[in-house]
């Protein structure tokens, strides 16, 4: 069983930055593919970014060039650095872990989920 706890959300003005963290408990964190998803009010949960054990990354088109994903296996933590934030980035952000070694963008590929952290970007 893997438990994921997100932190780092908050309110920021457009153009600002935030860094989300996701601390994982459980074994073999380094082998998991880690992903970030988000869900805005009234919308479906959508893929944001993912990073596998080999540090291959993949980003949604809407965040490319603005967001980066990284991991610290010694701390069992994955990060989402969000720069040049826009009001449309406002959402609850979820961390997820997949037992697959392949970077995946679909929700069903992920086996464990955090509770989410709110990000609000004002114009």
């Amino acid at each position: 069983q893997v438990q994921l706890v997100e932190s780092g959300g908050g309110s920021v003005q457009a153009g600002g930055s935030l860094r989300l963290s996701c601390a994982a408990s459980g074994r073999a964190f380094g082998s998991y593919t880690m992903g970030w998803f988000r869900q805005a009010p009234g919308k479906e949960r959508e893929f944001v970014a993912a990073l596998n054990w080999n540090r291959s990354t993949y980003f949604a088109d809407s965040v490319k060039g603005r967001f980066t994903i990284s991991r610290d296996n010694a701390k069992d933590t994955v990060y989402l650095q969000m720069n040049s934030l826009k009001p449309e980035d406002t959402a609850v952000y979820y961390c997820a872990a997949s037992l697959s070694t392949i970077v995946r963008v679909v929700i069903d590929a992920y086996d464990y989920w955090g509770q989410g952290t709110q990000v609000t970007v004002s114009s």
Side-chain angles (χ1 to χ4, degrees), residues 13 26 42 53 56 74 78 113 118:
Q13 289 191 328
W53 66 275
S56 294
V78 64
W113 291 83
Q118 176 71 46

Side-chain angles (χ1 to χ4, degrees), residues 75-91:
K75 296 182 178 180
D76 289 351
T77 301
V78 64
Y79 304 97
L80 184 69
Q81 177 66 44
M82 306 185 294
N83 299 327
S84 302
L85 283 161
K86 304 175 181 180
E88 50 265 43
D89 294 319
T90 295

Side-chain angles (χ1 to χ4, degrees), residues 35-87:
W36 286 95
F37 290 75
R38 67 187 181 186
Q39 187 167 16
K43 295 188 177 181
E44 293 186 350
R45 193 171 298 189
E46 64 177 7
F47 170 79
V48 175
L51 170 70
N52 76 349
W53 66 275
N54 198 32
R55 304 185 187 273
S56 294
T57 59
Y58 194 81
F59 296 91
D61 287 343
S62 58
V63 306
K64 279 181 183 176
R66 300 188 298 122
F67 290 13
T68 58
I69 185 171
S70 61
R71 67 194 300 162
D72 184 339
N73 290 338
K75 296 182 178 180
D76 289 351
T77 301
V78 64
Y79 304 97
L80 184 69
Q81 177 66 44
M82 306 185 294
N83 299 327
S84 302
L85 283 161
K86 304 175 181 180

